[in-house]
Amino acid sequence: MKHRLLFILALLCAVAQGAWTQNVVNVANLGDNYKAQDGTILTGTLDGQSQPIKIRIVDGATVTLRNLTINGYGYGEYEFAGLTCEGNATIILEGTNKVRGFNPEYPAIFVPTEKTLTIKGTGSLHASSNGQGAGIGAGANQH
């Protein structure tokens, strides 16, 4: 019985520690370009006109979008997507999410050629370019 109680206590501590160490990032508070690591939760609204910030997802990372809005803005001066995957990535959707690219020739979510983006979750995603780019994929002139 004593061993069972110690096991349960250790399990509860591990679960609580995991909940406290989540990296929740409100994009409205970003002041510079940002690299989302594995386990990052992106939330809030990024105003692309006043905050032309490039957000990257590192290769192999699983990132959660939780009620995230990225309002990409630009007519060619910002050469990046709303979100840029640096390699294979997984996005988990929670709530309502909207991502718009910053450059007319870039997508909302850039995925490099021969890499895979997996999208999971129960939330929604509206992904659009700022012009000719795809919603998700490579840019109009990129491969």
Side-chain angles (χ1 to χ4, degrees), residues 1 6 10 13 15 18 24 28 33-34 40 76 80 104 107 114 117 127 136 139:
M1 183 68 168
L6 287 174
C13 288
V15 168
V24 179
N33 294 341
Y34 180 77
T40 298
F80 50 87
E114 298 186 20
L117 172 63
I136 300 172

Side-chain angles (χ1 to χ4, degrees), residues 4-142:
R4 199 178 294 172
L5 287 173
L6 287 174
F7 173 76
I8 292 170
L9 181 60
L11 183 61
L12 288 173
C13 288
V15 168
Q17 182 180 7
W20 288 327
T21 59
Q22 287 183 334
N23 185 20
V24 179
V25 176
N26 185 335
V27 296
N29 298 329
L30 293 176
D32 202 357
N33 294 341
Y34 180 77
K35 281 193 177 192
Q37 305 294 323
D38 189 44
T40 298
I41 298 171
L42 297 173
T43 190
T45 298
L46 180 71
D47 175 17
Q49 188 168 8
S50 63
Q51 291 175 285
I53 292 173
K54 185 173 187 174
I55 299 175
R56 295 177 180 265
I57 299 173
V58 299
D59 186 24
T62 296
V63 172
T64 299
L65 308 186
R66 181 183 292 160
N67 297 314
L68 173 72
T69 299
I70 297 176
N71 290 317
Y73 175 86
Y75 298 99
E77 62 269 32
Y78 308 119
E79 293 192 12
F80 50 87
L83 289 172
T84 299
C85 299
E86 293 185 331
N88 296 319
T90 299
I91 291 177
I92 299 172
L93 301 174
E94 293 181 3
T96 302
N97 302 281
K98 178 184 172 191
V99 180
R100 183 172 184 227
F102 283 83
N103 184 296
E105 295 187 3
Y106 283 72
I109 301 175
F110 177 82
V111 182
T113 302
E114 298 186 20
K115 299 297 179 178
T116 301
L117 172 63
T118 302
I119 300 176
K120 301 178 178 183
T122 58
S124 64
L125 173 64
H126 177 83
S128 63
S129 78
N130 193 4
Q132 306 139 263
I136 300 172
N141 296 314
Q142 299 143 5

